[in-house]
């Protein structure tokens, strides 16, 4: 036979079992002694079990009563856990987080970030949008992204950068994650043309170009622009894998991260220009105006945990 669960009766039973005394139990529960006695009688009648025996000092659990008391303790502990979980979920950050991703996920530690977001903020739904670095700040401006990874100088995309009056915030909030070095790689056939050469001399060689949104384009555009020389672009691609494939087949030069350049040198015999390199930064960015948005603030907390 199944008995209806009365949580008030269970609390009274467990409290009396702990205290061994109805008077002390009534004080804890803020109930009258007759009310508690009535609850105990009802529980004994419903179960058909003698729960307590009287002693000179109060009440003592019977063997069967002790077994039921242990089970009642478990029920009340589960109820407490349920209530705490409900309160935790109520106060959790919730919503959708649109993340702009770039380059390879291993380098940006994207997997670790997503794991941190899921484990610490299960009410946050993440949506990934992969593209080139320069597309991230534009996506933030158009409210197509909430946060994203970015390579380069984010102020390039801030129309009032350097012109803001005192006390005025920049358009973007950025947390720098790492410094990167980029090197120039060339096919073996151009080895004699790249070794020992500076940027101005390298500009005249055949290059594989990239779209304006690419960090390669921005870094080289600034370098060659400051030198007043024109980059000799013979082909254009929008993916790093295609760019390296074209270098391997002898089409021309390309810029790439130093770690990849060293791997390509070892694995495919590509040549690294030995007199030039350029540095930039990987950052995690959002609009400054939305820095206090709970999901965005949570994302920055998560990225700090991942990157330190």
């Amino acid at each position: 036979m199944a008995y209806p669960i009365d949580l008030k009766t269970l609390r009274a039973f467990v409290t009396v079992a702990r205290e061994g005394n109805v008077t002390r139990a009534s004080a804890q529960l803020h109930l009258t002694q007759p009310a508690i006695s009535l609850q105990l009688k009802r529980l004994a009648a419903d179960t058909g079990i003698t729960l307590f025996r009287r002693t000179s000092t109060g009440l003592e659990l019977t063997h069967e009563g002790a077994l039921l008391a242990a089970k009642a303790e478990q029920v009340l502990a589960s109820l407490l856990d349920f209530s705490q979980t409900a309160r935790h979920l109520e106060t959790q950050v919730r919503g959708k987080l649109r993340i702009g991703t770039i380059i390879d996920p291993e380098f940006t530690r994207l997997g670790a970030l997503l794991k941190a977001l899921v484990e610490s903020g299960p009410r946050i739904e993440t949506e990934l949008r992969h593209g080139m670095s320069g597309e991230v700040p534009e996506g933030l401006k158009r409210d197509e992204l909430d946060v994203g990874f970015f390579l380069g100088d984010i102020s390039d995309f801030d129309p009032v950068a350097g012109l803001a009056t005192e006390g005025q915030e920049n358009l973007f909030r950025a947390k720098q994650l790492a410094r990167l070095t980029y090197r120039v790689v060339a096919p073996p056939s151009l080895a004699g043309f790249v070794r020992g050469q500076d940027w101005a001399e390298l500009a005249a060689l055949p290059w594989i170009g990239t779209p304006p949104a690419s960090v390669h384009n921005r870094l080289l555009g600034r370098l060659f622009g400051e030198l007043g020389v024109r980059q000799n672009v013979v082909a254009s691609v929008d993916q790093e894998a295609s760019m390296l494939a074209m270098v391997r087949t002898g089409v021309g030069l390309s810029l790439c991260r130093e770690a990849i350049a060293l791997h390509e040198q070892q694995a495919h015999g590509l040549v690294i220009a030995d007199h030039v390199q350029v540095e930039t930064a990987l950052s995690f960015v959002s609009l400054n105006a939305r820095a206090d948005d709970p999901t965005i603030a949570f994302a920055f907390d998560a990225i700090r945990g991942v990157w330190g």
Side-chain angles (χ1 to χ4, degrees):
M1 177 180 178
Y3 304 102
I5 297 175
D6 184 333
L7 293 176
K8 291 182 180 180
T9 299
L10 284 184
R11 285 196 184 93
F13 172 46
V14 166
T15 305
V16 172
R18 289 175 184 165
E19 297 296 328
N21 185 286
V22 173
T23 302
R24 290 195 294 270
S26 65
Q28 278 195 30
L29 297 173
H30 304 289
L31 296 172
T32 64
Q33 292 182 42
I36 290 180
S37 297
L38 181 60
Q39 288 175 323
L40 295 180
K41 288 179 181 178
R42 186 181 298 123
L43 181 61
D46 287 343
T47 60
I49 293 173
T50 300
L51 302 173
F52 295 97
R53 64 173 67 91
R54 293 193 176 275
T55 67
S56 58
T57 56
L59 296 176
E60 181 180 82
L61 285 167
T62 63
H63 175 70
E64 293 81 3
L67 293 176
L68 275 186
K71 183 62 68 175
E73 292 268 16
Q74 292 177 7
V75 171
L76 294 177
S78 296
L79 178 64
L80 177 61
D81 181 62
F82 176 86
S83 299
Q84 290 175 338
T85 299
R87 285 195 297 271
H88 178 63
L89 290 174
E90 180 63 27
T91 59
Q92 273 185 347
V93 176
R94 65 188 72 190
K96 177 178 285 189
L97 185 69
R98 300 163 298 175
I99 306 173
T101 66
I102 59 173
I103 55 179
D104 51 284
E106 290 80 12
F107 182 76
T108 59
R109 305 183 190 177
L110 179 61
L113 172 63
L114 295 178
K115 181 181 179 183
L117 290 171
V118 168
E119 290 181 347
S120 302
R123 303 290 291 273
I124 294 180
E125 176 189 349
T126 56
E127 179 181 314
L128 305 181
R129 299 186 183 181
H130 190 77
M132 285 177 283
S133 183
E135 294 171 341
V136 171
E138 295 300 335
L140 294 173
K141 291 178 188 178
R142 294 192 297 265
D143 193 29
E144 295 171 353
L145 296 173
D146 301 305
V147 294
F149 293 94
F150 178 79
L151 283 167
D153 186 350
I154 192 65
S155 65
D156 290 344
F157 293 84
D158 189 341
V160 295
L163 303 175
T165 59
E166 186 176 349
Q168 184 176 341
E169 290 185 333
N170 293 325
L171 180 61
F172 299 103
R173 174 193 182 189
K175 173 172 175 52
Q176 183 172 302
L177 306 178
R179 296 292 300 176
L180 291 82
T181 298
Y182 275 78
R183 305 292 297 272
V184 175
V185 291
S189 60
L190 295 177
F193 297 93
V194 300
R195 290 197 175 107
Q197 304 302 299
D198 60 20
W199 286 112
E201 292 162 329
L202 291 173
L205 296 176
W207 280 83
I208 299 164
T210 55
S214 164
V215 68
H216 302 74
N217 185 294
R218 285 180 278 122
L219 291 174
L220 291 174
R222 178 171 294 160
L223 275 168
F224 293 138
E226 290 174 352
L227 292 170
V229 297
R230 182 177 178 275
Q231 182 186 15
N232 179 26
V233 176
V234 296
S236 295
V237 297
D238 60 0
Q239 292 185 351
E240 194 170 55
S242 301
M243 180 179 64
L244 289 171
M246 294 182 77
V247 177
R248 293 187 204 115
T249 55
V251 175
L253 283 60
S254 177
L255 202 63
C256 72
R257 281 172 281 153
E258 187 171 52
I260 296 176
L262 293 172
H263 170 75
E264 290 294 322
Q265 182 184 52
Q266 182 71 26
H268 302 286
L270 297 191
V271 179
I272 300 176
D274 53 354
H275 276 206
V276 297
Q277 64 183 45
V278 59
E279 289 195 356
T280 191
L282 172 70
S283 301
F284 193 67
V285 298
S286 73
L287 288 180
N288 230 331
R290 298 191 61 203
D292 294 331
D293 184 302
T295 57
I296 292 175
F298 190 85
F300 272 86
D301 286 341
I303 203 73
R304 276 191 290 269
V306 170
W307 279 88

